Amino acid sequence: MHQFMIEPMFGSANWELAGFNIAFTNSALWMLIAAVALWAFVLGGLKRELVPGRWQMAVEVFTGFIDDMLEANIGKAGKKYVPYIFSLFMFILFANLLGLIPLPLAMAGLHAFTFTSHFTITGVLAIMTFAIVLIIGFAKHGLHFFSLFVPHGTPVPMIPLIFVIELISFLFRPFSLGLRLFVAMMAGHVLLEVLASFVIDSSNAGAVWGLAIGAPAFVLMLAICALEILVAGIQAYVFALLTSLYINDAENLH
Amino acid sequence: MPQIAQLAEVWSSQLFWLLVIFGAVFFVVGRGMVPKVMDTVGLRDKQIADDLAAAQAAREAADEQEEAWRNRENENRAAAHALVNEAKAKAQASTEKKLATAQAKIDARAEEAEARIAAARDEAAAEIESVASEAAQDIVSRLAGIEVTKPAAAAAVKKAMANG
């Protein structure tokens, strides 16, 4: 569980702002690394050439992907949410992938930190999305936004019950959104750590144990690593997709 | 689980740095760079659409010109045909005219010849008549000793010849 520990860096443990601790931790460092990497990635696609190179093509694939997703889920009005959804998707994707970087960094004494495996992060991102949904919903539809909780064709006697159920499911959205990402990232890393400990402990117990348990565990680890790369992409996609679906609710009601 | 164990001491720093860094990502990358990238894509799409439209227009113009050229060609061909036909008709007409004049000449000569033949025949007939009447006169005077006048002999010959 050491990999999830948050530690202040560069002696910043006592930094404070308005009485709150704002130490620059390893978590903040990896946020910064993800942000800089994302900035560098998009900068490479900013050459604005008519015939794109590979890098520009890659960046355009991502923006086009987000644009298409919003177009499909929200419609023409979705265009103005591209900056937010793109930032969200790419930031989470880069965080997830950078958090998976294994050996080379660890040998240099640097351990990759997956800040998306902390619900303090995923929760804030989810609340941010939820707040945007609420703001758009009430700004656009006023109190009519509450009709979101009464689906079309609900029989009149059922309306109070359905309203309560829909309201609760609506209020649970930020929790499910934040917890899903946090749990998926954490579970993957724990699984890898457990398998890695199998490899090391069995090898320490002797060559026979090492070959019998350590080798298969190592092979399994490789497969799980591939799976984790997939999960990193899928979780970022799910987060962005659900965000766009929720924004669609606020934008278009039902 | 450090996420829960450390919650009290780290939540404020997590929140702060996330807001700062994600805010920077949103404003610098999301608001600053992504629209430019998408503009480039839009520009390219527009350029491609324009080029396609231009190509289509050029193709239509070429089709139109080909059509015009075909029409002109057809007209020229028709004009040439008309010219040839006219020449043929002219030649035919002149041939006919020449034939007609030649025919007329031949006819005239034939007629003249016929007239000449008729004249010669009449002359010959008249000669025969006069010879016959002289012969008749002679025969009558020798056989009967009667002098017959020339007109009488001629009348008798004419009568006999008309019957003969």
Side-chain angles (χ1 to χ4, degrees):
Chain A
M1 289 301 178
H2 177 258
Q3 60 169 325
F4 301 117
M5 289 286 281
I6 295 177
E7 285 149 11
M9 303 187 82
F10 318 121
S12 64
N14 295 318
W15 287 5
E16 281 194 0
L17 183 78
F20 292 104
N21 180 285
I22 54 158
F24 190 82
T25 59
N26 52 346
S27 171
L29 175 69
W30 282 90
M31 285 183 227
L32 191 62
I33 290 171
V36 170
L38 175 55
W39 171 78
F41 173 69
V42 179
L43 188 69
L46 213 56
K47 277 176 266 168
R48 318 202 69 170
E49 280 166 13
L50 187 60
V51 179
R54 286 180 193 193
W55 196 304
Q56 191 183 342
M57 200 72 200
V59 176
E60 282 171 6
V61 163
F62 277 107
T63 59
F65 166 68
I66 299 293
D67 191 31
D68 288 349
M69 185 172 81
L70 287 174
E71 173 100 41
N73 288 327
I74 303 179
K76 280 274 166 257
K79 199 114 193 152
K80 58 178 173 287
Y81 303 111
V82 168
Y84 177 67
I85 305 288
F86 181 84
S87 308
L88 198 61
F89 173 73
M90 295 303 276
F91 190 56
I92 294 173
L93 181 66
F94 272 61
N96 292 351
L97 289 176
L98 287 170
L100 278 175
I101 293 176
L103 263 182
L105 281 177
M107 286 196 300
L110 275 168
H111 292 275
F113 182 88
T114 317
F115 60 86
T116 42
S117 66
H118 277 254
F119 58 79
T120 38
I121 300 294
T122 61
V124 170
L125 291 175
I127 289 167
M128 224 187 285
T129 291
F130 192 66
I132 287 172
V133 168
L134 287 179
I135 291 168
I136 294 167
F138 282 113
K140 233 179 132 83
H141 305 290
L143 290 180
H144 195 62
F145 184 53
F146 283 109
S147 73
L148 180 65
F149 307 131
V150 185
H152 280 301
T154 312
V156 176
M158 295 290 286
I159 284 179
L161 187 63
I162 295 285
F163 184 88
V164 171
I165 292 173
E166 288 279 331
L167 180 63
I168 291 172
S169 89
F170 180 78
L171 292 177
F172 259 94
R173 280 175 178 183
F175 294 97
S176 67
L177 195 57
L179 286 176
R180 181 182 297 110
L181 177 57
F182 147 66
V183 166
M185 294 325 293
M186 170 153 175
H189 284 263
V190 168
L191 185 57
L192 284 176
E193 187 170 335
V194 168
L195 288 173
S197 74
F198 280 0
V199 175
I200 293 177
D201 290 347
S202 63
S203 303
N204 285 342
V208 179
W209 288 114
L211 282 176
I213 296 174
F218 186 71
V219 172
L220 188 57
M221 246 184 105
L222 287 179
I224 302 274
C225 276
L227 183 69
E228 279 308 301
I229 292 172
L230 184 69
V231 168
I234 287 175
Q235 287 304 326
Y237 173 63
V238 166
F239 202 103
L241 179 68
L242 286 175
T243 299
S244 71
L245 286 176
Y246 296 162
I247 290 177
N248 175 47
D249 280 347
E251 185 78 32
N252 301 321
L253 288 182
H254 279 299
Chain B
M1 202 155 88
Q3 285 94 332
I4 295 171
Q6 289 187 302
L7 184 59
E9 51 172 310
V10 302
W11 71 268
S12 55
S13 110
Q14 289 278 75
L15 176 64
F16 174 77
W17 288 110
L18 178 66
L19 290 182
V20 168
I21 293 168
F22 185 71
V25 166
F26 174 66
F27 284 108
V28 174
V29 177
R31 297 287 292 271
M33 297 158 97
V34 168
K36 284 182 196 156
V37 172
M38 288 177 63
D39 274 0
T40 311
V41 176
L43 235 96
R44 180 181 314 126
D45 287 352
K46 191 175 162 296
Q47 173 125 22
I48 289 171
D50 286 357
D51 285 357
L52 282 179
Q56 182 66 26
R59 187 196 166 126
E60 266 159 24
D63 280 354
E64 218 165 86
Q65 285 202 350
E66 191 188 338
E67 186 65 35
W69 173 81
R70 204 182 294 278
N71 281 345
R72 220 165 44 232
E73 195 73 354
N74 284 348
E75 267 164 35
N76 286 347
R77 190 164 304 166
H81 256 291
L83 217 63
V84 167
N85 281 347
E86 200 188 332
K88 252 188 207 164
K90 232 188 229 167
Q92 185 138 14
S94 83
T95 309
E96 264 166 26
K97 213 158 106 193
K98 267 185 199 155
L99 273 177
T101 45
Q103 189 69 43
K105 241 187 232 167
I106 291 167
D107 283 355
R109 271 187 24 207
E111 228 162 276
E112 195 194 350
E114 257 165 41
R116 251 190 358 245
I117 289 168
R121 202 171 55 206
D122 285 356
E123 214 172 294
E127 210 150 306
I128 287 170
E129 240 168 78
S130 75
V131 169
S133 61
E134 267 171 35
Q137 234 177 330
D138 211 21
I139 291 166
V140 168
S141 69
R142 267 195 212 167
L143 288 180
I146 307 168
E147 281 294 325
V148 183
T149 59
K150 213 171 178 177
V157 166
K158 214 168 236 172
K159 204 171 156 194
M161 276 178 75
N163 288 342

